[in-house]
Amino acid sequence: MTNLAKGRKIKQTAQKIQPILYGIFRLVILLAISYIIIYPLLYMVSSALKTASAFQDPSVLWIPKVFTGENFKKAMEAMNFKESLYSTLKFEMISALIETATCAVTAYGLARFKFPGKKLLMLMLILLIMVPSQMIIVPMTINFSQLDFLGILKLIGGIIGKELRPNILDTAACFYLPSLLSVGLRSGICIFIYHQFFAGLPKELEEAAWIDGSAPPRTFLQIALPSSSVAIITVLVLSCVWHWNDYYLAVMYTSDNFPLAVSLASLPQRLSLIGIWPGDIRNTLGVMAGCVLFVIPILVAYLFLQRLFVKSIDRVGITG
């Protein structure tokens, strides 16, 4: 065999081996990343199912010899789980649904219509995304304690000598109102996702509907909205996750009937009220159980929607 033939054979062998080596390398990287991401969840579940003695036993690593549900019972009792879950659904999840709907309307107007001040509104959209809620929480809380629009109620109240500005703190209205006006929790990102999708829709579809006599609201409801299912799923999943995890706004707007995120954050102190003090192993196990209870509902929902969500992320072009 000549040197040329040997060289060709080596090259052909290398070309066959290269994809296999690349596949093995990619699999190892993905397994390592998956382990880093899944490890905390596996550790929480394993710890929540252990007794205090099993948790301190060095021979018990992942699977306890005896499973117990006592940690979950204590966590649910300390968190007032049913009441907190109801508050989360009432305050946060309904706000997420409202935000998903109103942001679609706002984004459609910005993407499809030309009007004076559009560039200014787009600048405000960028600011809505960039400015953290901590910077505006004080004026928002004050405004919600004396709700007014452009000082109209204050002016009328001064004329008639009566306070007309209602206090909507500790009510669902302080969660619903920002979502209704498309300035709720991370509404800027939701509007941006919708805007990118609507901007890519063929204008010929809407022009054909206008020729047939459809007004813009009907065109939005019957043409644009049915075509934007991928964007709706993306915004719905993201908005629900953000609202489910919301702690900061919930603790600022409410003084009782806290959502799950607030109850979970104060779980070590809540466990001390039922005789399980911080520093006790049972307190740690109760916190682990509380974390599992908090994660399970949103995780189960994502498992059902993950295929649609991944396709939606690919279609709307979100990266990074």
Side-chain angles (χ1 to χ4, degrees), residues 103-271:
C103 287
V105 178
T106 304
Y108 183 75
L110 291 174
R112 284 311 204 204
F113 299 105
K114 296 181 180 179
F115 51 88
K118 180 178 178 178
K119 292 183 178 180
L120 178 61
L121 288 179
M122 291 301 297
L123 176 61
M124 294 177 66
L125 173 61
I126 300 301
L127 291 177
L128 185 61
I129 296 174
M130 296 178 61
V131 175
S133 57
Q134 288 82 352
M135 291 186 62
I136 58 175
I137 190 62
V138 173
M140 287 188 66
T141 304
I142 294 174
N143 186 38
F144 286 154
S145 65
Q146 297 177 328
L147 186 64
D148 201 351
F149 295 94
L150 302 177
I152 297 175
L153 294 180
K154 181 179 180 181
L155 178 61
I156 297 176
I159 295 175
I160 65 176
K162 184 178 180 181
E163 179 61 59
L164 298 178
R165 295 174 294 178
N167 179 10
I168 64 172
L169 293 175
D170 287 321
T171 68
C174 59
F175 293 90
Y176 297 165
L177 189 59
S179 295
L180 190 62
L181 299 176
S182 300
V183 291
L185 182 63
R186 293 184 174 86
S187 289
I189 299 177
C190 298
I191 295 173
F192 183 77
I193 293 173
Y194 276 127
H195 180 275
Q196 293 299 100
F197 185 85
F198 288 138
L201 284 179
K203 294 184 178 180
E204 291 77 11
L205 294 175
E206 296 169 336
E207 292 173 352
W210 294 339
I211 292 175
D212 291 338
S214 295
R218 184 178 177 184
T219 303
F220 170 71
L221 293 175
Q222 296 185 354
I223 303 297
L225 206 57
S227 303
S228 59
S229 59
V230 292
I232 293 174
I233 293 173
T234 303
V235 172
L236 179 62
V237 172
L238 292 177
S239 182
C240 287
V241 171
W242 288 332
H243 280 83
W244 184 270
N245 295 329
D246 175 40
Y247 165 82
Y248 186 74
L249 296 181
V251 79
M252 294 298 296
Y253 294 158
T254 58
S255 58
D256 56 3
N257 298 323
F258 294 117
L260 279 174
V262 180
S263 299
L264 179 63
S266 59
L267 184 55
Q269 292 75 28
R270 288 170 175 260
L271 285 170

Side-chain angles (χ1 to χ4, degrees), residues 17-31:
I17 295 177
Q18 184 177 359
I20 299 175
L21 294 177
Y22 175 73
I24 294 174
F25 175 76
R26 184 174 59 179
L27 179 61
V28 170
I29 294 297
L30 290 176
L31 288 175

Side-chain angles (χ1 to χ4, degrees), residues 16 60 66 77 97 113 134 155 165 181 297 315:
K16 292 179 181 179
V60 179
V66 179
E77 179 183 354
L97 297 177
F113 299 105
Q134 288 82 352
L155 178 61
R165 295 174 294 178
L181 299 176
R315 289 283 300 276

